[in-house]
Amino acid sequence: MELLEKRIQADGIVKKGNVLKVDNFLNHQMDIELFNEMGKEFRRLFADKEIDKILTIEASGIGIACIAAQYFHVPVVFAKKAQSINIDGDVYRTRIESFTHKRVYDVIVSRKYLNSGERILIIDDFLANGCAVRGLIELIECAGATVEGIGIAIEKGQQSGGRELREKGYQVESLAIISQMDEETGTITFSHA
Ligand code: 5GP
């Protein structure tokens, strides 16, 4: 998606450790007009899918998922990063290693909000090694629901998450796919499928 690529080129900052900082339009301040165009694009890319619900993970996926949901006319559920102490039996639970924070979170969704037979679209801000998306898939499968597709704003194609998920047969649609980032020069290169 050209609009998103241009914005990444203009405002993205390449940090150490293969991290792209996009705080001024996506991860902290949010550009809602851009999110709106992203939402329309997700609807177009998943036009042939019947979706009952969007699942994302807090915090940065929520804004993108909510704006996209207006085009799918479905509710959004976000998986919560929980303190293990508070986990009771009414939740589906998994563990997700955070790429940016280098720690493992217990992640939960209430059993009330993921149900058997529901057709789920996963949406998240970034796809890197795929831990977050794999965790969300696990929650969906625990509930007996199905993964209809995976919509990502920015995929870092130099990491293996996207390739592995596509090899498993999931429809992964990333609005911008980065092929290379250079932390010395700040250069960001995109790959076009
Ligand atoms: P994964 O689980 O696929 O390794 O990483 C995806 C998650 O880590 C996303 O939910 C996102 O919050 C975070 N993440 C991964 N790489 C980046 C990055 O380069 N920049 C930012 N801002 N977040 C990232």
Side-chain angles (χ1 to χ4, degrees), residues 18-22 27 57 97 99-100 124-132 156:
N18 203 24
V19 171
L20 177 68
K21 213 165 156 68
V22 284
N27 284 138
I57 179 164
E97 188 180 340
F99 177 79
T100 36
D124 202 7
D125 60 341
F126 272 89
L127 175 59
N129 294 325
C131 295
K156 293 189 294 180

Side-chain angles (χ1 to χ4, degrees), residues 7-22:
R7 193 60 185 272
I8 295 167
Q9 287 289 18
D11 292 336
I13 299 165
V14 182
K15 296 290 207 185
K16 270 206 202 76
N18 203 24
V19 171
L20 177 68
K21 213 165 156 68
V22 284

Side-chain angles (χ1 to χ4, degrees), residues 26 38 42 54-62 64-65 122-127 132-133 136 150-154 173:
L26 197 140
M38 289 161 53
F42 282 133
I54 292 175
L55 179 67
T56 186
I57 179 164
E58 67 177 352
S60 297
I62 297 175
I64 299 166
I122 293 174
I123 286 192
D124 202 7
D125 60 341
F126 272 89
L127 175 59
V133 169
L136 295 178
I150 300 163
I152 300 292
I154 305 173
E173 301 288 357

